[in-house]
Amino acid sequence: MTSSPKTSTFTNQKWILTKRPKDEFDPDRDVELKTEELDSKSCLDGNKDEQDLVLVKVEALSVDAFIRTMMDATAYHGSLDLENTLPALGYGTVVISKSKKFRVGQPVLGMLGAQTYARIPAKQLKRKFDLPLLPTSASLGLLSLTTGLTAYAGIFFVPSKGPRKGDTVVVTASAGAVGSIAAQLAKTTGAKVVGIAGNKNDYLLNELKLDGAVNYKDKSISLEDQLDEACPDGVDFVFDNVGGDTLDALLERIRPGGRIVICGAVSQYDSGSVNKVDGQTVQGPSNYLKLAERGAEMRGFNVMQHMHKMPIAMFFLFWYYVRGKVRMTEHIHNGIESFPKALKSLLNGGNTGKTLVKVKNM
Ligand SMILES: NC(=O)c1ccc[n+]([C@@H]2O[C@H](COP(=O)([O-])OP(=O)(O)OC[C@H]3O[C@@H](n4cnc5c(N)ncnc54)[C@H](OP(=O)(O)O)[C@@H]3O)[C@@H](O)[C@H]2O)c1
């Protein structure tokens, strides 16, 4: 930031989408880092619908799988237009305000985008909360809508019957942000919990203290054989983040009265799979008739459908955290420059736990 007695200039660096990924997202080909100068006197001048604008200095950004889905022309979460800033949840501090809701210096939370300064209507922001005993980044991880609250909803609000003592539970992408919390929440019920991830058995068994671990990247033994070994009597409850062949293998092993919760399908988002035509179709489960055969249920959800129950989810996530029952591992990348590579790393399984970008402003 440079300043004179009358005006200041803020240098915003933002990642924009320049090309729709053809198959796999390429951080060097599909996005570009643009720099723009924002003048403190005029940068909040907008039309009358934008009377309530604030400028936020971004401090940290959440890197989530949904950002990849929004790069496609047809997307479940809405498609991002070319030349627009990549979406990202984040927090920061208000540096200029035209709004009565927020004053300069207040910490705020919202869809700030992958950039260093966000010009945003106050109604799209919330006051950032900091709870005692929690790291300041908890608002983007443990207590974030797209992470801890999604995990809580998928384990306890979505299925007709949540996991319970005696059940065998399998969580996919269980070393990732949502999956690691979902697996630990399932453990609190007394169920036996098996995690699936790529080359992360040590983390699943020794850090998350799960009862079993399956490495879907192991070339020496098939996913199916590993599942049969870890879950010899089948599976009562599945929290699925990956879809594809893994979901089929779990359908094959679902027990009578089993419950499968569809949280996402990350194996399909950046796969360039032959079944993925222009980002519109994904590989569906061919084993779905096992649901009929075993009287099992498969139910999907979007966390937004459970907003009214979020205070309960927040309370229990906080409670489990302070009692040491749920931990949140953070995988931190530094600098706005790292944002696209952090996203690519998440899609390749280069992350463990919650992927965050700590932004340094010029
Ligand atoms: N329903 C909702 O409202 C909602 C809300 C938020 C997120 N979600 C979903 O939650 C899931 C997790 O999202 P996240 O942001 O927390 O990401 P994340 O789990 O932190 O990262 C994605 C993980 O997926 C795994 N992965 C990548 N490609 C894979 C493949 N081909 N097969 C199997 N695993 C693969 C990687 O781990 P490995 O090392 O194990 O490969 C990676 O760690 C996504 O499906 C997302 O869409 C749903």
Side-chain angles (χ1 to χ4, degrees):
M1 184 186 92
T2 55
S3 58
S4 72
K6 288 184 182 162
T7 59
S8 311
T9 306
F10 301 92
T11 304
N12 183 29
Q13 288 183 291
K14 57 181 184 181
W15 282 103
I16 58 160
L17 182 68
T18 49
K19 279 196 183 70
R20 298 208 183 279
K22 267 212 164 65
D23 35 50
E24 288 190 26
F25 167 56
D26 181 346
D28 296 320
R29 179 195 60 195
D30 305 329
V31 291
E32 196 180 308
L33 186 62
K34 282 233 160 139
T35 300
E36 64 183 3
E37 300 299 330
L38 300 172
D39 184 274
S40 62
K41 276 197 139 180
S42 58
C43 74
L44 297 190
D45 290 346
N47 59 36
K48 71 173 183 329
D49 297 333
E50 293 181 315
Q51 293 301 320
D52 211 25
L53 285 172
V54 297
L55 187 70
V56 179
K57 180 178 174 176
V58 181
E59 285 157 29
L61 293 166
S62 167
V63 183
D64 293 85
F66 78 84
I67 302 169
R68 172 61 187 89
T69 68
M70 291 185 71
M71 292 176 178
D72 289 332
T74 310
Y76 159 57
H77 295 103
S79 176
L80 181 67
D81 288 335
L82 290 177
E83 302 301 316
N84 276 9
T85 307
L86 298 185
L89 192 66
Y91 63 77
T93 308
V94 175
V95 287
I96 315 178
S97 178
K98 275 182 133 185
S99 162
K100 291 196 181 97
K101 197 171 162 196
F102 297 112
R103 54 182 162 67
V104 170
Q106 271 190 317
V108 288
L109 178 75
M111 270 292 174
L112 301 181
Q115 56 188 338
T116 54
Y117 284 94
R119 182 181 167 276
I120 186 169
K123 61 174 184 270
Q124 292 176 18
L125 293 171
K126 286 193 163 55
R127 192 168 295 199
K128 177 177 183 285
F129 55 89
D130 275 303
L131 294 179
L133 309 175
L134 287 184
T136 186
S137 50
S139 53
L140 298 183
L142 184 75
L143 299 183
S144 156
L145 197 58
T146 58
T147 304
L149 299 178
T150 295
Y152 197 95
I155 290 288
F156 295 117
F157 299 155
V158 177
S160 63
K161 203 164 74 177
R164 51 201 60 203
K165 198 172 164 58
D167 277 354
T168 297
V169 174
V170 174
V171 178
T172 62
S174 57
V178 172
S180 61
I181 306 270
Q184 293 173 90
L185 287 173
K187 276 289 293 176
T188 66
T189 67
K192 167 184 164 180
V193 181
V194 173
I196 304 183
N199 296 328
K200 292 170 183 164
N201 283 12
D202 185 45
Y203 175 73
L204 300 180
L205 296 172
N206 299 322
E207 304 281 328
L208 299 186
K209 311 272 184 225
L210 304 189
D211 303 290
V214 166
N215 177 7
Y216 76 95
K217 288 186 176 166
D218 192 334
K219 298 257 187 300
S220 65
I221 175 167
S222 70
L223 172 81
E224 288 77 6
D225 285 350
Q226 290 183 71
L227 279 173
D228 289 339
E229 206 172 293
C231 316
D233 301 321
V235 179
D236 299 284
F237 190 102
V238 174
F239 185 104
D240 185 35
N241 288 308
V242 311
D245 294 339
T246 303
L247 176 57
D248 262 330
L250 291 164
L251 274 160
E252 182 73 42
R253 287 158 182 79
I254 198 71
R255 279 167 55 81
R259 291 86 71 206
I260 298 179
V261 173
I262 302 296
C263 177
V266 72
S267 74
Q268 303 296 301
Y269 299 163
D270 200 37
S271 61
S273 133
V274 285
N275 294 301
K276 197 176 176 196
V277 183
D278 293 335
Q280 292 183 44
T281 344
V282 295
Q283 177 188 337
S286 56
N287 259 340
Y288 74 96
L289 278 179
K290 296 292 170 198
L291 298 171
E293 194 181 313
R294 317 258 167 90
E297 73 178 27
M298 182 153 83
R299 189 156 182 211
F301 77 106
N302 178 323
V303 66
M304 304 298 280
Q305 292 148 358
H306 299 271
M307 291 303 286
H308 57 294
K309 292 189 192 157
M310 285 310 152
I312 302 169
M314 285 182 99
F315 172 81
F316 281 107
L317 282 164
F318 176 73
W319 175 243
Y320 288 134
Y321 180 87
V322 296
R323 293 188 61 216
K325 302 274 184 205
V326 169
R327 55 181 294 168
M328 178 88 262
T329 308
E330 292 182 347
H331 194 124
I332 294 173
H333 298 254
N334 284 304
I336 192 68
E337 302 79 9
S338 67
F339 192 89
K341 294 217 159 110
L343 175 62
K344 187 64 191 175
S345 167
L346 176 146
L347 296 167
N348 284 340
N351 67 323
T352 300
K354 179 71 206 172
T355 306
L356 296 173
V357 168
K358 291 272 167 80
V359 177
K360 285 194 209 94
N361 284 104
M362 297 167 76

